[in-house]
Amino acid sequence: MFRKTSTARLPAPRRIALPAAVALAFFAPQVFAETGSAGAYDVSIHISVLGLNLDVAQQAPATITDATEPEHVVNQLPSIDFSNALAGVTTGLLINEAQYAPGPSTSAAGGESQVTGLDLSVVNLLGTSLLSISADVIDSRSIVAGYCLSQPGKALQLDDYVFGSSFDAGNLNDNGSGAPGTGGDSPGATLGNLHVSILGIDVPDLPLNPAPNTSIDLDALGIAGASLILNEQTTGGDGTTQLTRASNALHLTLNVVDLITADVVVAHSEAGIDCTQ
């Protein structure tokens, strides 16, 4: 079973240490009208092969919606194991985290999902591989940080604040450097020892830290009807009164008529700040 905790109830090794400017927000009144949202989930898998379906929904999602007070949620599972006659997926530890830290001047919202020991395999009736995805670790992080103005024409300023990896201390900070984005892990994706094979063809040279919206050219490998995007990023809102970010560390779609269809998302994170409340 996964556990759900608040910031105040986290055991000492897991407690997030915020920088002083943001940590003070836990004790300071919220001056500017705003809400924060954040979320993360581990996998969303929909595969149909020769009429057999494998559907695995989010296993331990962490969600914060329209919060006005500090909030921190961590959900985790030690592993998952789902399979049918032709397809199966197993993982090691899954951890999903969401946090909102409102401040008197700057606020931050962040989500992070980490999936370890991923092993997904799909075969045909002869046992030949149709799809294989494995990785030591797949991680995504999404951050929005800024502030809302109290006067007409509210504004949200975005900085690339840091959301630390592995849920260590310092999840929301600038590493004390005064330059946002210079300490720890910045928002994005990490794909540790990722291997992908589609229709028996290995996809080579997959990056550890892909740039946003890295689309792998599968046509060049002779793989038709498939799309593979790493560190898939989307941004919403006008950047002035609302701003949201979301990331899928890995997103694969596959459609081979009368054989296999697949839509696989691994490690999703999202965050947002809304100044219109």
Side-chain angles (χ1 to χ4, degrees):
M1 294 180 65
F2 63 78
R3 60 184 177 86
K4 183 173 182 179
T5 65
S6 68
T7 304
R9 297 176 182 172
L10 284 177
R14 306 291 297 165
R15 189 181 299 275
I16 291 181
L18 299 178
V22 179
L24 288 174
F26 286 83
F27 310 102
Q30 183 67 24
V31 177
F32 306 127
E34 73 174 48
T35 61
S37 300
Y41 66 78
D42 31 66
V43 296
S44 176
I45 299 171
H46 307 283
I47 295 172
S48 179
V49 54
L50 298 174
L52 286 176
N53 295 331
L54 179 68
D55 292 302
V56 183
Q58 308 165 18
Q59 294 300 295
T63 305
I64 295 171
T65 303
D66 294 333
T68 59
E69 301 293 331
E71 192 169 345
H72 181 204
V73 178
V74 181
N75 288 339
Q76 63 181 16
L77 280 175
S79 64
I80 62 172
D81 187 346
F82 295 91
S83 64
N84 59 32
L86 299 177
V89 59
T90 62
T91 72
L93 181 65
L94 309 175
I95 308 178
N96 297 300
E97 181 175 9
Q99 184 173 9
Y100 173 55
S105 58
T106 299
S107 300
E112 181 170 6
S113 175
Q114 187 175 94
V115 177
T116 68
L118 176 70
D119 187 359
L120 183 151
S121 178
V122 184
V123 299
N124 62 17
L125 292 175
L126 299 177
T128 302
S129 177
L130 298 177
L131 175 63
S132 176
I133 304 174
S134 64
D136 292 340
V137 60
I138 298 181
D139 182 283
S140 78
R141 301 165 300 281
S142 296
I143 295 297
V144 169
Y147 58 88
C148 299
L149 298 177
S150 59
Q151 287 140 12
K154 298 174 182 177
L156 178 68
Q157 300 290 326
L158 172 68
D159 286 319
D160 289 327
Y161 271 71
V162 173
F163 202 73
S165 65
S166 302
F167 312 98
D168 294 331
N171 276 15
L172 291 167
N173 66 81
D174 61 5
N175 203 31
S177 67
T182 58
D185 287 348
S186 59
T190 300
L191 306 167
N193 198 27
L194 174 65
H195 296 277
V196 177
S197 175
I198 304 172
L199 304 178
I201 301 172
D202 289 337
V203 181
D205 304 322
L206 295 174
L208 173 65
N209 299 114
N213 298 307
T214 296
S215 180
I216 306 301
D217 187 358
L218 299 177
D219 287 337
L221 299 174
I223 302 172
S227 168
L228 177 59
I229 303 175
L230 307 179
N231 193 12
E232 183 178 45
Q233 299 274 332
T234 56
T235 301
D238 58 13
T240 300
T241 61
Q242 295 173 307
L243 188 64
T244 62
R245 279 183 167 180
S247 172
N248 296 318
L250 181 151
H251 188 185
L252 171 83
T253 59
L254 177 62
N255 188 351
V256 179
V257 178
D258 296 327
L259 181 58
I260 180 175
T261 60
D263 190 343
V264 177
V265 172
V266 182
H268 171 89
S269 62
E270 58 189 67
I273 293 178
D274 187 340
C275 297
T276 65
Q277 302 302 307

